[in-house]
Amino acid sequence: MKKGFGKVVLNPQQQREVKIIKPSVLKHFQQIPDPRVHRTRHHSLEAILTIAILAVLSGADGFVAIEVYGKSKQSWLEQFLDLPHGIPSHDTFGRVIGAIDPMALQESFLGWIATISEKLKIEVIHIDGKTDRGSYEREGSLKALHTVSAWSSEHGLVLAQQKVKDKSNEITAVPPLLLLLNLKGAVVTLDAMGTQTEIARQIKRQDGNYLLALKGNQLNLYKQVEAWFEQARTNSWEGIDYSYHETVEAGHHRVETRQVWVVSVIAVPGLMRYSSSNEQTNCEYLVE
């Protein structure tokens, strides 16, 4: 902490995060071999790697941006990192990271994320594809970067990413992405591209639960479920055990009403053939 500044006051969420991050950083990153000679180690390798990773997860796209992130978050970073010489320069970040064994870094990073995910008790994991619009180069015929990410909205944390050649290949990135995650007890949400039998089975094998979107890419199933819900609503849900929830939100000069009906999947005739067991698919949702 710089001289003249008072003690940093953390809110309860930040205090919990610091307690989790500090021991996990030491556990996973201190095992990476430091490529520098001893006389040039003004900043610990754990500090350099942790700041760099947190910066990139927050959107930093280069070593200068990593340095800017570190300086803007220095008070918070000092709660769990030893920073006697302050934040490293962008040159230091570039030189050290460029000399590290990439496989050792990847192994430590994945282990760190898995530990954080478990300790934070993440309840919902979102899987979504994204195209970085500024990543293409028209003159060099460089295509835009497409990634599929797993993230926790409750903690604002990207848990893992997989790069894909183009948007049409997003589905192929989901299975290996899931293998990087600790899904035990969590609910995994995916849009319509992830509504695949094998993906649902993999999530269950990893002790997770799932919430899949059903759209026109599964046309027969979509029509079947749509017709069933329409009939149930026409009959005022007579004889059907269901749950209902409604939210009303105002913003951006409009009022948005969301209605959710939830029924057991066994209530929809024929739908169970899309699941290998009752344990694999327990509920069916209709959202308006």
Side-chain angles (χ1 to χ4, degrees), residues 161-202:
Q161 283 186 332
Q162 285 285 318
K163 184 173 68 173
V164 294
K165 291 183 179 179
D166 53 56
K167 194 170 182 64
S168 64
N169 287 323
E170 285 182 3
I171 187 64
T172 63
V174 174
L177 182 69
L178 292 173
L179 289 175
L180 300 176
L181 304 171
N182 177 7
L183 303 183
K184 188 173 183 178
V187 176
V188 180
T189 73
L190 298 99
D191 61 16
M193 66 98 180
T195 305
Q196 305 288 334
T197 304
E198 279 307 312
I199 288 178
R201 287 175 178 157
Q202 180 177 344

Side-chain angles (χ1 to χ4, degrees), residues 196-205 208-212 265 272-283:
Q196 305 288 334
T197 304
E198 279 307 312
I199 288 178
R201 287 175 178 157
Q202 180 177 344
I203 292 172
K204 295 304 294 183
R205 283 196 299 268
N209 302 293
Y210 55 80
L211 180 61
L212 307 179
V265 72
M272 282 303 297
R273 67 188 177 85
Y274 291 93
S275 174
S276 62
S277 72
N278 288 350
E279 293 181 351
Q280 214 164 37
T281 308
N282 296 319
C283 295

